[in-house]
C-alpha cells in the first residue's frame, strides 16, 4: 500500500532462484496541496511521492505565520496541520517625511493598514501641501513619496488688505 508498480512475471531458474524485475514507486501526491487557504503557499520540491520529501507550506507575501510541513500519504494525498496566516499590518503613522511637520493619515481608522492597501497622507490643519498616496508593503512598511512637504498657511502681513475698513499691520 502506498506504492505503484506493474505486475511482473518471475521465472524459476535452473539453479532454483527466481529471476525477474519488480519496480515499485511511491504513490504520487504532486506539487500542489488542495484546500490550502488563499493566504498560504505550498513549496513542494524533490520527490513528492509517498515516502518522499515533505512539502513546506508558508504564508503568502503580506501575511505572517509559522510554516508547517505536509507529508504524502499512501493514498496520494498530502496531510499536515492547518497553517494560520494573519495579515501584516503597516503602522498607523507614516514616518520618514522630509521637514519637521507631522502629516496626518487615516490609514488605521479606515482599516487600510494591511498588505497592498492604499492610504493618503495629508498636511495638518494650518498647513498646505499636496496629498501623498502610500501602499502597505509585504514587509509592514509604507511605500510612497515622502518628499511631499507641508507649508504653514501664510495670511500675509497686513490685516487691512483682507478686512474691509480695517487699519493695522502685524
Amino acid at each position: 500500500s502506498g506504492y505503484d508498480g506493474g505486475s511482473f512475471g518471475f521465472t524459476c531458474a535452473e539453479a532454483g532462484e527466481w529471476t525477474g524485475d519488480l519496480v515499485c514507486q511511491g504513490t504520487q501526491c504532486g506539487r500542489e496541496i488542495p484546500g490550502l487557504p488563499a493566504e498560504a503557499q505550498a513549496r513542494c520540491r524533490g520527490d513528492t511521492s509517498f515516502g518522499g520529501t515533505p512539502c513546506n507550506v508558508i504564508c503568502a507575501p503580506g501575511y505572517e505565520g509559522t510554516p508547517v510541513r505536509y507529508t504524502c500519504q499512501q493514498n496520494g494525498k498530502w496531510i499536515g496541520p492547518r497553517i494560520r496566516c494573519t495579515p501584516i499590518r503597516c503602522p498607523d503613522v507614516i514616518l520618514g517625511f522630509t521637514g519637521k511637520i507631522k502629516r496626518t493619515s487615516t490609514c488605521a481608522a479606515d482599516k487600510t493598514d494591511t498588505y497592498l492597501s492604499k492610504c493618503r497622507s495629508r498636511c495638518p490643519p494650518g498647513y498646505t501641501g499636496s496629498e501623498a498616496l502610500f501602499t502597505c508593503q509585504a514587509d509592514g512598511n509604507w511605500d510612497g513619496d515622502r518628499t511631499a512637504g507641508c507649508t504653514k498657511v501664510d495670511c500675509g502681513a497686513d490685516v487691512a488688505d483682507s478686512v474691509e475698513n480695517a487699519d493695522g499691520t502685524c
Side-chain angles (χ1 to χ4, degrees):
S1 177
Y3 293 92
D4 295 323
S7 57
F8 295 89
F10 283 84
T11 306
C12 182
E14 291 178 17
E17 296 175 359
W18 290 103
T19 61
D21 290 321
L22 175 64
V23 178
C24 295
Q25 297 175 332
T27 304
Q28 282 293 321
C29 283
R31 299 199 182 281
E32 301 291 323
I33 299 179
L36 287 179
E39 63 272 9
Q41 296 178 337
R43 301 288 174 132
C44 304
R45 292 177 173 40
D47 179 7
T48 58
S49 65
F50 174 66
T53 308
C55 183
N56 294 317
V57 177
I58 61 170
C59 294
Y63 293 86
E64 57 190 353
T66 304
V68 296
R69 293 188 116 177
Y70 276 62
T71 53
C72 182
Q73 298 300 291
Q74 293 175 339
N75 62 2
K77 294 182 180 179
W78 291 105
I79 189 168
R82 184 118 175 118
I83 190 167
R84 294 180 184 257
C85 300
T86 56
I88 290 176
R89 298 207 176 284
C90 286
D92 296 350
V93 177
I94 300 173
L95 302 174
F97 281 97
T98 57
K100 297 179 182 177
I101 307 304
K102 186 175 181 181
R103 296 173 67 94
T104 61
S105 66
T106 58
C107 304
D110 293 343
K111 302 289 186 212
T112 55
D113 59 350
T114 56
Y115 178 56
L116 293 181
S117 61
K118 306 280 187 210
C119 178
R120 295 190 185 283
S121 176
R122 298 171 182 86
C123 293
Y127 291 82
T128 184
S130 61
E131 283 188 341
L133 183 64
F134 287 82
T135 304
C136 183
Q137 300 298 302
D139 64 1
N141 290 305
W142 291 106
D143 182 45
D145 181 11
R146 285 182 165 72
T147 62
C150 297
T151 307
K152 189 163 182 59
V153 173
D154 183 5
C155 294
D158 194 351
V159 175
D161 289 346
S162 57
V163 179
E164 193 175 320
N165 297 323
D167 183 24
T169 58
C170 294

